[in-house]
Amino acid sequence: MDSLTKIEDLGKPRVVIVGGGFAGLELARELRHAPVQVVLIDRQNFHAFQPLLYQVATAGLAADSIVSPFRKILDEQENFYFRMAEVQSVDTEQHLLETSIGLLRYDYLVLATGATSNFFGDAQMQQHAITLKSVADAIELRNTVLANFEQALQLGDMEQLNSLLDFVIVGGGPTGVEIAGALSELRTHVFPRDYRELDFKQMDIHLIQSGPDLLKGMSKEASEKSLEYLKQFGVQVWLNRRVKSYDGYTVTLNTGEKLITRTLIWAAGVTGSPISGLRPESLLPSNRYQVDEYNQVAGYDNIFAIGDIAAMRSEAYPDGHPMVAQPALQQGKLLAHNITQHLAGRPRQPFRYDDKGSMATIGRNHAVADIKLFGREYHLGGLLAWLAWSIVHVLSLVSFRNRLAVFLNWSWSYLSYDKGLRSIIGGARISQPREQPHEEKAIT
Amino acid sequence: MDSLTKIEDLGKPRVVIVGGGFAGLELARELRHAPVQVVLIDRQNFHAFQPLLYQVATAGLAADSIVSPFRKILDEQENFYFRMAEVQSVDTEQHLLETSIGLLRYDYLVLATGATSNFFGDAQMQQHAITLKSVADAIELRNTVLANFEQALQLGDMEQLNSLLDFVIVGGGPTGVEIAGALSELRTHVFPRDYRELDFKQMDIHLIQSGPDLLKGMSKEASEKSLEYLKQFGVQVWLNRRVKSYDGYTVTLNTGEKLITRTLIWAAGVTGSPISGLRPESLLPSNRYQVDEYNQVAGYDNIFAIGDIAAMRSEAYPDGHPMVAQPALQQGKLLAHNITQHLAGRPRQPFRYDDKGSMATIGRNHAVADIKLFGREYHLGGLLAWLAWSIVHVLSLVSFRNRLAVFLNWSWSYLSYDKGLRSIIGGARISQPREQPHEEKAIT
């Protein structure tokens, strides 16, 4: 396009990166000194810090505190170009990307499209459940929770009331555990002051986990501690249960048990977000692209995949690396190095995942952390893990501005036991009950 | 309704306030020690600080920094109840308010519904123009401005390009002047870094004012200085012009001149937002309720109107007070006092507007202020007025949290020449050109 042909680095090879999550953004930044033209394409004009989406959803942080516009992040990177567009497909023969704003030629194509919620084919679940994969999701969930309580004030029927006050979270991974914990903090410290007319003994938070342990993938210690903390905070944890169906009102478990809620939060699994045009053989059943240890997509010379969308299978990781920030960042960084090496005719370096451990926070002063240092693994809990989690997350934010905003917000919330972002700005999902008519009472 | 009949202050008279802007919120807070039950009804669950909406619209502040949830503000006020609802009409005989969540009985009804944009019956204008009366408006305008530039990168045709880069603001009051100034700051300091491929000489900002002076209602000095500052910042000011029509692409002025833009911002006038059910004789042609000097609506004993929706006509203010924050706050405060007096059988106090002056900011270090102190009026300009404006606005914000957030943001922006809120979160208005097809160029 015109705006890309004007530039001085026209003769340089063009690296097109699809998706500006952890992997794509890291790659773009690490290519800053490389003799290439970097074009980043994303549907949004900002990078979102996904690990803190749950705090936006629970009124703890403003969306603006965890997002950074790409143009701002890469302001001073001479070889960087951003285009806000949707990718439709790729023509691997012609080296062309079809997008919502036209065709784009590439020399290297890097897929960093991430993952999306996996409903395992349950269309009814997909229609009624709320997910937490984007900033828009997080804002919708926050607004829905708040609107539920506003609506609950008008109801007398107990089942109707409970359908609004109760929350069901499906999936006991970090996201599920963190939302459950954050909702329980709202129940204890915030909502009773806001809604004095409601009885918060009626508000139940259910967390459903298909297996016997929470935080699968973390240590036994972390699983047990997180369960203990959640129980301490009054979250009802249902282990070894699966959701059979949800119609927007009644949740039916595989054991036959039923729960009533108008708000089911789906944190139960993800699947890759591939693009069309690549040969089907390159895509694994998990919807992730099969890549070699240089993140090269099987069957292509100049197409790479990094982050959640890439499955680099090895003995240690037979299904690919965990779909979290660390491998994404490390792959983005190494690919930048390898592209530079390749252009210079020097050998590339294979990827080795340096797992630094993982963490999840449950609530005020309560977190769990498995930290890997010098070949040993340490299991932390309680206040120490919570401090570690807080520090790591503040420092991992992309801009100094966001770090400051989050730090101030957290300090404030910690001291005041408050969560300040309780304005309903934007839409909420007001689901009507399925089985019984919603009965509004006269308020005279 | 149940939740309102449970309370201990059931026997007390109920004051129902419709609308939580400056007037309604001030009244609710000032009634905190009165022997009444206070019920505030609003469509939103938050108070928005309207004078800074234009900064949300121009990426200077996050929406969350200028809003506060009502429940949070009035957390500790025992006699306060909030309901998020739309008011449909009032039955003045039965003393009942019909709302989207049922019927509500009142003893005193206070209308504080404010004002809305006045398009003077031009439906086409109403369809295509962007207004700036709510937080949703401000977010939409911000997103539209940013999306325009993203879209402009793909265009080659000069007229098409200019339709996206140019902005037309109708109305030379404080809002119009402030938006024009803020857009010119973005043009000078922010956008050229973000959109290096665009030529910002192409970006024109037009401000159209029907009369010979900007900031009508302020002093001659303020009008002249604001014009001088805007010209200095490169804003094209069209005095003595009216917009005859706008079809989403072409603006036609009454002088026959034409401007091309896909973004016309309507800041040209407001009209009251009355509710149905009151006798038509109480409503003036301006759509404001005619009130006496106790803010009592003509023809009713127990219905009051305060703020923009009230027109208290006097010799000094033949059309009622200016529709700005100060009279609203003062009327809210006095009405609280008068309701308390009335309940105690003591005489009420008539309203006298204490005009402390007015201010408008044009940009970095440039503002104008007419300040009334001890019966004298002082005219400030430049840095001094800008500092006064900044301090007054920070201190006027409702919560300490917001004051801190705005103060930090402004300090940051001032030092960095940056406006950080450039993420497109939520919807934009993508208007297609009317006369020529939008031509997307291939970007190979």
Side-chain angles (χ1 to χ4, degrees), chain B residues 201-261:
Chain B
K201 287 198 205 78
Q202 300 292 333
M203 175 179 170
D204 295 319
I205 302 160
H206 303 280
L207 178 65
I208 296 168
Q209 165 68 328
S210 57
D213 298 307
L214 295 175
L215 300 175
K216 206 180 103 188
M218 286 187 69
S219 64
K220 195 81 191 155
E221 286 88 341
S223 296
E224 283 167 6
K225 263 201 195 107
S226 61
L227 180 62
E228 178 196 322
Y229 295 160
L230 283 173
K231 284 186 171 166
Q232 190 180 321
F233 291 148
V235 173
Q236 287 166 261
V237 182
W238 303 70
L239 297 172
N240 298 308
R241 304 285 204 295
R242 288 173 183 278
V243 175
K244 228 177 81 187
S245 71
Y246 176 57
D247 61 5
Y249 192 75
T250 306
V251 187
T252 308
L253 304 184
N254 62 338
T255 49
E257 290 146 317
K258 285 180 196 295
L259 300 168
I260 301 292
T261 186

Side-chain angles (χ1 to χ4, degrees), chain B residues 128-156:
Chain B
H128 296 295
I130 296 188
T131 55
L132 198 56
K133 291 298 292 173
S134 69
V135 172
D137 286 349
I139 291 174
E140 188 192 22
L141 179 52
R142 178 197 65 193
N143 290 346
T144 303
V145 172
L146 294 166
N148 277 0
F149 287 99
E150 295 295 339
Q151 219 185 324
L153 290 170
Q154 302 316 120
L155 296 176

